[in-house]
């Protein structure tokens, strides 16, 4: 295992793979935070907002440090594992996440060219309804479908990485993502038709 070592006062420390950092000492584990906290924060912020995301990310690394003996050292990249921990923690915050989506709908700016107050009101109503439908669809999805969809959409993980994050087979990821997309398709076309009727 490659250890953290300083070559000289002005030289940066030599850092190994994520697996080496996870299984190393506390100082090495801290470098794992430096390496991946930004990506995890973006994912969590997309779900629960930036302020709450800071707490979630801190909790992710606390949990990861406590569970580091369970990490599969054959996996050089620890990010999917960390996303899995983050997703588990976010499951407890679904109400906050749904509330954030609703708040975003209310704050949606008007589209370009929407200078008239009546048009702005219609645009905001459409955006709010769109977000309400998506939030409702996410809330009604089985937890696994929602987790797979959000890891795919917000964290930009591929099927294999999602499988690693959630400790499920790749085939299960594929089927869960297919079902989640179908649920959204079943909801959103109805909204699109309503939007056209309201603006005609």
């Amino acid at each position: 295992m490659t250890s953290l070592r300083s070559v000289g006062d002005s030289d940066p420390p030599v850092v190994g793979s994520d697996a080496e950092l996870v299984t190393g000492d506390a100082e090495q584990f801290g470098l794992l935070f430096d390496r991946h906290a930004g990506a995890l924060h973006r994912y969590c912020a997309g779900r629960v907002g930036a302020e709450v995301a800071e707490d979630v990310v801190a909790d992710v690394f606390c949990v990861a440090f406590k569970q580091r003996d369970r990490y599969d050292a054959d996996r050089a990249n620890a990010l999917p594992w960390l996303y899995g921990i983050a997703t588990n923690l976010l499951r407890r915050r679904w109400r906050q996440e749904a509330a954030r989506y609703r708040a975003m709908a209310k704050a949606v700016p008007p589209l370009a060219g929407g200078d008239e107050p009546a048009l702005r009101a219609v645009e905001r109503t459409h955006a709010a309804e769109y977000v309400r439908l998506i939030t409702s669809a996410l809330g009604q999805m089985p937890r696994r479908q929602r987790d797979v969809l959000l890891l795919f959409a917000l964290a930009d993980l591929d099927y294999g990485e999602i499988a690693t994050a959630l400790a499920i087979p790749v085939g299960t990821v594929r089927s869960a993502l297919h079902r989640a997309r179908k649920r959204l398709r079943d909801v959103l076309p109805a909204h699109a038709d309503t939007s056209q009727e309201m603006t005609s």
Side-chain angles (χ1 to χ4, degrees), residues 5 7 61 151 155 173-175 191:
R5 58 188 173 83
V7 177
F61 283 94
L151 283 168
V173 171
R174 290 181 191 277
S175 62
H191 173 253

Side-chain angles (χ1 to χ4, degrees), residues 8-59:
D9 290 340
S10 60
D11 294 328
V14 176
V15 180
S17 70
D18 286 357
E20 292 169 328
L21 298 182
V22 170
T23 57
D25 59 24
E27 185 178 357
Q28 287 175 300
F29 197 90
L31 294 174
L32 193 71
F33 178 91
D34 296 338
R35 188 175 284 180
H36 295 306
L40 287 165
H41 188 270
R42 284 188 295 277
Y43 168 63
C44 295
R47 294 187 61 168
V48 292
E51 285 188 30
V52 177
E54 289 181 17
D55 293 337
V56 175
V57 171
D59 290 345

Side-chain angles (χ1 to χ4, degrees), residues 55-172:
D55 293 337
V56 175
V57 171
D59 290 345
V60 166
F61 283 94
C62 287
V63 170
F65 187 74
K66 290 175 185 174
Q67 297 180 356
R68 65 192 185 280
D69 59 324
R70 300 183 198 172
Y71 183 75
D72 181 356
D74 291 335
R75 293 192 173 122
N77 182 5
L79 192 53
W81 175 62
L82 295 169
Y83 274 126
I85 295 171
T87 300
N88 286 335
L89 294 172
L90 287 167
R91 286 174 183 158
R92 303 173 195 165
R93 296 178 180 263
W94 170 247
R95 288 183 183 175
Q96 286 176 292
E97 189 171 351
R100 180 172 182 273
Y101 293 146
R102 288 191 295 272
M104 286 169 55
K106 292 177 183 175
V108 172
L111 300 173
D115 294 333
E116 297 179 19
L119 183 55
R120 284 200 306 270
V122 169
E123 289 172 350
R124 287 179 190 271
T125 300
H126 289 177
E129 179 65 6
Y130 184 83
V131 173
R132 185 191 69 75
L133 288 168
I134 290 177
T135 303
S136 175
L138 288 170
Q140 292 173 24
M141 281 181 194
R143 185 179 67 189
R144 178 169 289 169
Q145 288 179 25
R146 183 170 67 237
D147 290 343
V148 167
L149 179 67
L150 293 173
L151 283 168
F152 183 80
L154 295 179
D156 199 28
L157 298 187
D158 63 31
Y159 292 169
E161 291 168 331
I162 294 170
T164 298
L166 301 180
I168 57 177
V170 171
T172 303

